[in-house]
Amino acid sequence: VEFTGQTVPGTTKSWVLAADSIAANNEFESPQPQVELQEGAIAQFQSGWQDQLPAFSMQVLTWEVKP
């Protein structure tokens, strides 16, 4: 992730949707959810930050930048 400015410490949040298969879903036919949402915070987040995600997942990030 690349951006200009410095982040406000403690403001970076992460949400990851993860599954074991590209065909996974959370439809009513499955007794247990196949796609999980994992929420967390990222300390030391700054421009140039890198992450490696598992297969069949996606990540959303939010953060604040100092004025």
Side-chain angles (χ1 to χ4, degrees):
V1 177
E2 303 237 355
F3 55 90
T4 58
Q6 295 181 344
T7 60
V8 175
T11 64
T12 305
K13 296 180 182 175
S14 167
W15 293 267
V16 176
L17 283 176
D20 293 334
S21 162
I22 193 72
N25 64 69
N26 286 358
E27 297 296 328
F28 297 109
E29 299 87 35
S30 301
Q32 297 293 321
Q34 298 175 356
V35 181
E36 295 181 8
L37 176 62
Q38 303 160 353
E39 184 176 351
I42 301 174
Q44 309 298 323
F45 182 76
Q46 61 187 353
S47 184
W49 181 82
Q50 296 182 9
D51 198 6
Q52 189 168 3
L53 298 174
F56 317 117
S57 67
M58 64 177 282
Q59 184 174 39
V60 174
L61 300 170
T62 63
W63 66 90
E64 294 179 28
V65 177
K66 292 180 182 178

